[in-house]
Amino acid sequence: MVSETKTFYLAVLPGDGIGPEVITEGVKVLRAIEAKLGDVQFVCQEFSVGASEYLRSGDPLPPETFEQIKQCDAILLGAMGLPDVRWPNGVEMTPQIDLREWLDLYGGLRPIRLHHAEDCPLKKYQAGAIDFLLVRESTEGLFAARKNLAALDAAEACDTMRITRAGSERLFRLAFQQAQKRRRKVTLVDKANVLPSMAYFRGIFDEISHEFPDIETERVYVDAMALYLVQRPHTFDVIVTENMFGDILSDLAAGLIGGMGMAPSADLGDRYAVFQPSHGSAPDIAGQGKANPIATILSVQMMLEWFGLAEGATLLGAAVEAVLRDPMQRTTDLGGTLSTAAMGDLVVQQIG
Ligand code: ATP
C-alpha cells in the first residue's frame, strides 16, 4: 500500500544577527527528518522580517508579508532586532513580539532540560536532573506597555502591567494541561505581595487550579524564584508566569543548561504557532559561524510535535541527545570548537 504524503507549509523568517545562521541549520535538520520519514513534505517559503527589513523598506513587518505568513501551517523564526535600529521612543524593532500579539500566541512554552552535567554551572546536576517547562504569557503583562510613547527628554515615564481575566484563564489552563503530560506540578510565579495586578493574577490561578485537582500547585514570588532556580531547579515541573517575568526567568533558566543557544521555544495560540530559539539576535557573535544552533533545532522538534509528527519529533530529539552525550561536541559558547554548521551536520548524521 502506498502511504499518502502529508504536506506542511512553513513560513521561514530568518531575521537579524545570528537568526539566518541558526535557521539554516534548523531547516537542514528538518530536511533530514523529511528524508527519513519519507511520507512528509515541508514546503518552506522565506520572508524578510526584522530590523534589516526595516532598513530596506521602512517597515520591519510589512502588512503584505504578515498576510502571507498567516496562510502557512506554522512559522519558523530565527531572531529579530538589532541594537542600532530603534524606534523614536528608543526601543528596538521587535516584530517577533508583534507576531505574538497579532496572532494571539498567548502560550510561550520554553522547555529547559539539561543534556550533560558539564553544561550546567551548578556542580551537582546530572543529565536530565533539570527538566522543567516555563510557560510565559506572551500577549499582555508588562510588555503590553511597549507601544507607549515616552519622550526621551521627559521628566518621567510609566509602563503599566496589563493582566486580563480571559488572558490569565487560558494561560493557566494551558500550564495545567502541560503538567498533566509531565510530572503534575505547576508553580505560579508572581509578585502578589506588592502589585495588585499580580494579586489578581494569583486569584485567577487559584480558581483555575480547582479544575485540575490532580495537579500539585506552588506559588512563588518572582524574586524568590530567581533564588530557587539556582538552589533547587530540580524541584520544578511547569512554571507559569506573566510576560516580563517569563522573559527574565527564561534567560536565567537557559543559563542552567548551557546558555541561550540551548533553549528552544514555541509560541502557541489556538490557531497559529511560531517556533523560535529563546535567544535574541546576538549581534556580538553574528556572522562568525559561532552561534549554537541547538536551540533552533529543538524548536524544530517542538514544531514536529505540534504537527502531530511524533515519530519525527522523537527521531530529532534522540539525535540531539546522542550528539550532546559527548561533551566534546560543543560550539564555542560551551567551550567547544564546533562551528554552527558543524553542529548542524552532527545532528543530521545522527538522524542518518
Ligand atoms: P532578546 O532580548 O532579543 O531576546 P537578549 O538581550 O536576551 O536578546 P541575546 O541576543 O539572546 O540577548 O544574547 C544574550 C547572550 O547570549 C549574548 O552574549 C549572545 O552572544 C549569547 N547567545 C545568544 N544566542 C546564542 C546562540 N545561539 N549561541 C551562542 N550564544 C548565544
Side-chain angles (χ1 to χ4, degrees):
M1 201 177 81
V2 182
S3 67
E4 215 179 288
T5 300
K6 281 181 254 148
T7 303
F8 295 92
Y9 293 88
L10 303 185
V12 178
L13 282 48
D16 305 308
I18 61 170
E21 298 168 56
V22 292
I23 280 292
T24 300
E25 301 315 306
V27 172
K28 192 197 270 180
V29 168
L30 185 70
R31 292 288 174 222
I33 292 288
E34 185 182 51
K36 189 81 180 174
L37 294 179
D39 59 353
V40 186
Q41 186 190 15
F42 299 105
V43 179
C44 297
Q45 189 179 357
E46 255 191 44
F47 296 93
S48 170
V49 176
S52 36
E53 175 58 26
Y54 171 81
L55 294 176
R56 201 183 65 79
S57 69
D59 188 343
L61 177 48
E64 55 282 8
T65 304
F66 180 60
E67 284 312 313
Q68 279 180 280
I69 62 183
K70 270 201 319 195
Q71 306 305 316
C72 295
D73 295 313
I75 300 164
L76 183 61
L77 194 154
M80 287 171 186
L82 290 173
D84 296 336
V85 186
R86 291 176 185 263
W87 295 113
N89 66 355
V91 302
E92 280 186 33
M93 313 268 143
T94 50
Q96 73 280 21
I97 302 177
D98 292 329
L99 278 175
R100 288 174 202 157
E101 292 174 4
W102 298 350
L103 299 176
D104 208 17
L105 308 177
Y106 58 90
L109 302 189
R110 298 178 163 207
I112 294 291
R113 182 178 159 77
L114 181 65
H115 290 278
H116 197 287
E118 287 195 21
D119 298 331
C120 184
L122 308 175
K123 293 287 167 274
K124 61 183 179 187
Y125 289 105
Q126 297 302 313
I130 298 176
D131 186 352
F132 59 82
L133 175 71
L134 190 93
V135 181
R136 168 188 174 184
E137 203 295 324
S138 301
T139 57
E140 47 185 52
L142 193 52
F143 272 44
R146 70 195 186 89
K147 293 278 168 72
N148 284 358
L149 293 174
L152 292 180
D153 58 355
E156 67 172 75
C158 177
D159 296 327
T160 305
M161 177 148 358
R162 176 170 185 259
I163 302 292
T164 67
R165 169 164 284 279
S168 304
E169 286 182 353
R170 65 184 183 178
L171 173 77
F172 295 141
R173 286 198 180 99
L174 175 68
F176 280 104
Q177 285 156 3
Q178 291 293 319
Q180 284 176 325
K181 295 189 245 171
R182 297 176 50 96
R183 300 191 308 276
R184 296 179 174 265
K185 179 178 171 188
V186 177
T187 303
L188 169 73
V189 176
D190 62 31
K191 192 67 185 170
N193 52 337
V194 175
L195 299 175
S197 62
M198 290 283 88
Y200 176 69
F201 194 55
R202 183 176 286 210
I204 298 168
F205 177 82
D206 291 344
E207 281 174 34
I208 300 298
S209 70
H210 296 309
E211 294 174 18
F212 299 88
D214 55 328
I215 306 289
E216 183 192 343
T217 59
E218 180 182 34
R219 293 146 189 82
V220 177
Y221 300 134
V222 64
D223 44 346
M225 193 59 179
L227 176 74
Y228 297 156
L229 276 177
V230 176
Q231 283 184 333
R232 55 172 178 95
H234 59 284
T235 65
F236 300 111
D237 180 22
V238 172
I239 298 168
V240 64
T241 191
E242 73 85 35
N243 207 339
M244 180 74 175
F245 295 167
D247 184 39
I248 297 168
L249 293 179
S250 55
D251 277 32
L252 198 169
L256 298 172
I257 57 164
M260 298 311 295
M262 302 293 276
S265 83
D267 294 313
L268 304 183
D270 294 330
R271 159 82 180 81
Y272 299 99
V274 171
F275 300 87
Q276 68 170 120
S278 293
H279 60 73
S281 61
D284 51 334
I285 56 164
Q288 301 168 41
K290 283 185 180 173
N292 183 349
I294 292 294
T296 307
I297 291 168
L298 290 174
S299 304
V300 169
Q301 185 198 12
M302 294 179 84
M303 184 177 74
L304 296 174
E305 265 167 27
W306 190 73
F307 281 153
L309 300 173
E311 190 190 343
T314 304
L315 263 171
L316 205 172
V320 170
E321 202 72 49
V323 170
L324 297 181
R325 207 166 289 137
D326 178 353
M328 300 305 287
Q329 301 190 141
R330 292 293 184 277
T331 41
T332 52
D333 51 320
L334 287 163
T337 54
L338 293 180
S339 67
T340 310
M343 181 56 105
D345 290 343
L346 282 179
V347 177
V348 168
Q349 269 171 33
Q350 278 296 333
I351 292 167

